[in-house]
Amino acid sequence: MIPFKSRDKSKKRAAILNGAIDVFINMGYELASMDKIAETAGVSKRTVYNHFGSKENLFQAIVNDFLAQRQSLKTITYDPEKSLEEQLIAFANAEIFLIDSPRRVQISKFLTMVFLKDTAYAKATVAKYPPVYDMLLAWLKEAEKDGKIITDNLLLTARVFYALVEGAITYPALFSGGINKSAVEPMLEEIIATFVAKYGNDKNTVEI
Amino acid sequence: MIPFKSRDKSKKRAAILNGAIDVFINMGYELASMDKIAETAGVSKRTVYNHFGSKENLFQAIVNDFLAQRQSLKTITYDPEKSLEEQLIAFANAEIFLIDSPRRVQISKFLTMVFLKDTAYAKATVAKYPPVYDMLLAWLKEAEKDGKIITDNLLLTARVFYALVEGAITYPALFSGGINKSAVEPMLEEIIATFVAKYGNDKNTVEI
DNA sequence: AGTTATTTATACTATACAGTATAAATAATA
DNA sequence: TATTATTTATACTGTATAGTATAAATAACT
């Protein structure tokens, strides 16, 4: 039977997703019971199943919603008029966005746990979204052509950049439960300066 | 009743720990059943309980055994005769040790998951062991005094170093399930070079 | 060989949870 | 107001698992 006319279910759907995120975060996937999720969402258990069918599906919906956000971040293209630092900070901020609100850092933490538990699933899931490295690689290529970046291995260089951002900011935020701007900003400057010290074409010094 | 004489239980204990690690790694803490652990260890379930009392205790024993290994790594002191690179690689290798065998990378991965799930527990547990940063901080202080390192913030500098090592090597190893020397070595050189480019006192260049 | 610490096999208890069933209640639309 | 898509409350099924009980078996030490 095709419903005569379907009504707006988005409110309940959002409430369920929100409650589920809370419970997943606080209990972990295994210990998050569908009863608890329904209660937290202020919804009957049957409604949860009507919307998502299974715990697994509910989880997938959360993951997809979250990763879709990342996808929608605007692209960054090389601009010879702007300083390297300014442009690199834009790349870093695209990562920092993922841990930039209490909610997002919770979800990132949960996702990291799940991805660590099943790295094959992690790989398959992340593969559905545009690779983060590619945008930086394209940027680096342009910057190198413009003589502002010096490297003999673009991929290694990109990996060093993300190592700095993730190692200094993202992962610490997951463990500390969040970031505070006043602590992140000096660190962000420091890692950008570190990157530029290695790969920037500093025309103001010369070998003696 | 005090036992007349206790016998050597270390063999069974080791078998249980080993089996438990296998099961924890493959199923995660929650889904690792004590029946499965006993079976994997080749031991009766009652013996598991005789040795460890509870699943929680068994888990704690694994964590403590693993972290105790790290503690036993030898200290690294500043040596003015050696190059910065050579000495920094020793620091990096102390980290790489933790992901340097298939077994250790599995345990590190599992521990990272558990620590992410309960960061308060993580903090308390890690606090029981010597802080990793302290040794590098002492080294940096000496290197700075010796004029080989230039920085106005030792702590930030240490954090950049570990960000590079963890972001470029440790975390990627957790997700990829291990490291292969031929891929790690170029990356290790690259991050050491990056660190030195920023903080090394390069007397061979001068501002013009 | 005899003592006894340790281990084993089997069965059991109590609890929790994913998912289903059913019938009644609610609320949006016509 | 009548229709019906959606939601709710309650109870249920089947399965899984942490931990315990008990008595028999094993093996290290004297």
Side-chain angles (χ1 to χ4, degrees):
Chain A
M1 271 177 285
I2 296 163
F4 183 70
K5 189 165 189 183
S6 75
R7 296 172 186 167
D8 179 37
K9 287 182 275 190
S10 64
K11 284 261 169 42
K12 290 279 176 191
R13 187 192 144 93
I16 295 166
L17 285 174
N18 223 38
I21 290 170
D22 275 345
V23 180
F24 279 136
I25 285 163
N26 286 315
M27 329 268 288
Y29 180 82
E30 312 300 345
L31 295 184
S33 77
M34 294 298 265
D35 285 281
K36 183 80 179 171
I37 287 171
E39 185 199 322
T40 303
V43 142
S44 79
K45 180 156 81 157
R46 205 57 239 276
T47 296
V48 176
Y49 278 96
N50 285 343
H51 275 262
F52 295 99
S54 71
K55 188 177 176 181
E56 172 70 18
N57 285 351
L58 177 51
F59 161 75
Q60 293 284 353
I62 290 171
V63 173
N64 290 332
D65 278 19
F66 184 70
L67 294 182
Q69 280 195 322
R70 175 181 231 197
Q71 185 175 21
S72 71
L73 285 173
K74 65 178 189 303
T75 60
I76 303 167
T77 51
Y78 179 72
D79 182 346
E81 302 301 314
K82 291 181 183 164
S83 73
L84 293 184
E85 284 83 355
E86 184 184 351
Q87 295 181 71
L88 287 167
I89 282 176
F91 278 98
N93 279 333
E95 286 301 302
I96 290 170
F97 169 79
L98 294 172
I99 49 158
D100 189 342
S101 77
R103 195 51 158 186
R104 280 195 295 271
V105 78
Q106 285 179 317
I107 299 175
S108 289
K109 189 166 119 178
F110 176 62
L111 260 191
T112 303
M113 283 167 42
V114 171
F115 282 172
L116 273 176
K117 192 178 236 156
D118 187 347
T119 52
Y121 166 72
K123 214 171 170 180
T125 302
V126 170
K128 293 192 295 186
Y129 299 90
V132 282
Y133 279 12
D134 286 5
M135 200 157 66
L136 178 59
L137 277 173
W139 185 92
L140 284 170
K141 197 172 271 179
E142 289 304 307
E144 190 191 24
K145 206 184 294 176
D146 193 37
K148 297 283 176 52
I149 286 281
I150 298 178
T151 174
D152 56 359
N153 189 329
L154 282 175
L155 190 55
L156 207 52
T157 302
R159 288 173 65 195
V160 167
F161 181 79
Y162 279 109
L164 281 163
V165 175
E166 292 171 1
I169 298 177
T170 306
Y171 286 109
L174 300 188
F175 283 102
S176 74
I179 58 177
N180 71 343
K181 279 257 155 59
S182 66
V184 162
E185 266 166 24
M187 178 52 93
L188 183 53
E189 276 182 36
E190 191 81 3
I191 63 180
I192 300 287
T194 301
F195 183 82
V196 171
K198 175 68 167 67
Y199 300 106
N201 184 6
D202 189 345
K203 293 186 156 128
N204 297 319
T205 68
V206 70
E207 301 238 350
I208 55 175
Chain B
M1 273 181 285
I2 296 163
F4 183 70
K5 189 165 189 182
S6 75
R7 296 170 186 168
D8 179 38
K9 287 183 275 188
S10 63
K11 285 261 170 40
K12 290 280 176 191
R13 186 191 145 92
I16 294 166
L17 285 174
N18 224 38
I21 289 171
D22 275 345
V23 180
F24 278 136
I25 284 164
N26 286 316
M27 329 267 288
Y29 180 83
E30 313 298 346
L31 295 184
S33 77
M34 293 298 265
D35 284 282
K36 183 80 179 172
I37 287 171
E39 185 198 323
T40 304
V43 142
S44 80
K45 180 156 81 157
R46 204 61 186 75
T47 297
V48 176
Y49 278 97
N50 285 342
H51 275 261
F52 295 99
S54 71
K55 189 177 175 180
E56 171 72 17
N57 284 350
L58 176 52
F59 161 74
Q60 292 285 353
I62 290 171
V63 173
N64 289 332
D65 278 20
F66 184 71
L67 293 181
Q69 280 194 324
R70 175 182 231 197
Q71 185 174 22
S72 71
L73 285 173
K74 65 178 188 307
T75 59
I76 303 166
T77 51
Y78 179 72
D79 182 346
E81 302 300 313
K82 291 182 183 163
S83 73
L84 293 184
E85 284 82 355
E86 184 183 353
Q87 296 180 71
L88 287 167
I89 283 175
F91 279 98
N93 278 333
E95 286 301 303
I96 290 169
F97 169 79
L98 294 172
I99 49 157
D100 191 347
S101 77
R103 193 52 157 185
R104 279 196 295 270
V105 79
Q106 285 178 317
I107 299 175
S108 289
K109 190 166 116 177
F110 176 62
L111 260 191
T112 303
M113 282 166 43
V114 170
F115 282 174
L116 272 177
K117 192 179 238 156
D118 186 348
T119 52
Y121 165 72
K123 213 171 171 182
T125 303
V126 170
K128 293 191 296 187
Y129 299 91
V132 283
Y133 279 13
D134 287 6
M135 201 156 67
L136 178 60
L137 276 174
W139 185 91
L140 284 170
K141 197 173 272 179
E142 289 303 307
E144 189 190 27
K145 205 184 295 172
D146 193 36
K148 298 282 177 53
I149 286 281
I150 298 177
T151 174
D152 56 0
N153 189 329
L154 282 174
L155 190 55
L156 207 52
T157 303
R159 288 174 65 195
V160 167
F161 181 78
Y162 278 109
L164 281 163
V165 176
E166 291 171 2
I169 298 176
T170 306
Y171 286 109
L174 300 189
F175 283 102
S176 74
I179 56 176
N180 71 343
K181 278 257 156 60
S182 66
V184 162
E185 266 165 26
M187 179 53 92
L188 183 54
E189 275 181 37
E190 192 79 4
I191 64 180
I192 299 287
T194 300
F195 183 82
V196 171
K198 174 68 166 70
Y199 300 106
N201 185 4
D202 189 345
K203 294 185 156 123
N204 297 319
T205 68
V206 69
E207 300 239 352
I208 54 174

